[in-house]
Amino acid sequence: MILDLAKEIKTANPKALWCCDPVLGDTGPGVYVRPEIQGFMKDEMLQGIADITTPNQFELELLSGKKLTSREDAVATARKLFCSHGCRTVFVTSLRTPDVPENEIDTLAVTKDEAWIVKTPFIKMAGEQEGATGTMTAVAGQGDVFTSVAFGTLLLTNNLKEALEHAVSTLYMLVKLTPKGSLDLPLIEAQKEITAPSIRFAAEKINV
């Protein structure tokens, strides 16, 4: 139904953009959708219908069928899996490949022609389960926040670097300000962090 709707909208408006988060699972809890969803994402969603996608490292490895060994490997895998099928932009979140320092977590923005990376401190809350985001798997909505802020900023600015910086900075601050034991990000209490993050992380270009 979603694919049919996307095709209908794009037929009516060829300039329409679809940002699709391929929600399949995460490090820690593993896969949390039915097995056929994984096949659907790989066989249908990857065929150039989505313009922008936001897999985390776990999902990128799951869809590609390979373990990522480095940042450069993540860029190459995103290009092969998504960009080669027509996807314009891939944001790879929660990246902790072997070349990423233990106290760091990275996020990538990848197109067929360029790649950017933002590096942030790895946040782990005491008493919470460690997850791929480097924060806590119990806190809901982290992927939703990143995707919406990255997509919204990209639509407003048409600047991939700025979209990556803004989304990462916003999510970092919301997680940092989440009260211990809370199951929700402080979207209302810290709403200023969505429009103007207190800490701004700069993106670096990856020449691959």
Side-chain angles (χ1 to χ4, degrees), residues 1-203:
M1 184 180 294
I2 293 172
L3 284 176
D4 290 343
L5 184 59
K7 292 173 183 176
E8 183 179 342
I9 292 172
K10 283 177 169 288
T11 298
N13 179 10
K15 293 183 179 180
L17 296 177
W18 180 23
C19 179
C20 180
D21 183 0
V23 179
L24 295 170
D26 204 346
T27 302
V31 178
Y32 42 63
V33 298
R34 298 193 305 272
E36 58 267 29
I37 299 296
Q38 180 181 339
F40 169 79
M41 287 289 183
K42 188 171 183 178
D43 298 334
E44 301 290 342
M45 196 275 286
L46 297 186
Q47 302 307 311
I49 300 174
D51 302 283
I52 301 164
T53 188
T54 58
N56 59 38
Q57 179 179 337
F58 179 87
E59 289 160 343
L60 186 57
E61 291 178 335
L62 192 65
L63 290 169
S64 65
K66 58 172 289 188
K67 196 76 173 173
L68 299 178
T69 59
S70 66
R71 299 178 178 105
E72 289 75 16
D73 185 26
V75 171
T77 301
R79 282 176 173 159
K80 181 178 180 181
L81 193 62
F82 294 100
C83 299
S84 65
H85 289 85
C87 186
R88 301 184 189 185
T89 303
V90 184
F91 291 99
V92 182
T93 63
S94 309
L95 191 69
R96 301 198 73 211
T97 45
D99 57 338
V100 176
E102 188 175 347
N103 62 345
E104 179 182 304
I105 188 163
D106 296 349
T107 308
L108 302 175
V110 181
T111 71
K112 64 177 183 178
D113 300 316
E114 61 179 330
W116 296 89
I117 185 170
V118 170
K119 304 172 182 179
T120 62
F122 181 96
I123 300 175
K124 183 181 179 183
M125 299 290 190
E128 296 286 355
Q129 181 183 359
E130 181 180 309
T133 56
T135 54
M136 44 218 168
T137 56
V139 177
Q142 295 180 57
D144 297 327
V145 166
F146 178 88
T147 298
S148 59
V149 175
F151 190 32
T153 305
L154 194 59
L155 290 174
L156 287 171
T157 66
N158 196 33
N159 187 309
L160 183 61
K161 177 176 180 290
E162 187 171 342
L164 177 64
E165 291 175 345
H166 195 148
V168 170
S169 301
T170 289
L171 183 57
Y172 178 86
M173 287 308 304
L174 288 174
V175 170
K176 188 176 179 66
L177 294 171
T178 299
K180 182 179 178 181
S182 174
L183 299 179
D184 299 294
L185 294 169
L187 296 176
I188 302 302
E189 298 84 351
Q191 59 187 284
K192 65 181 179 64
E193 301 296 343
I194 299 173
T195 54
S198 300
I199 298 175
R200 183 81 176 192
F201 293 97

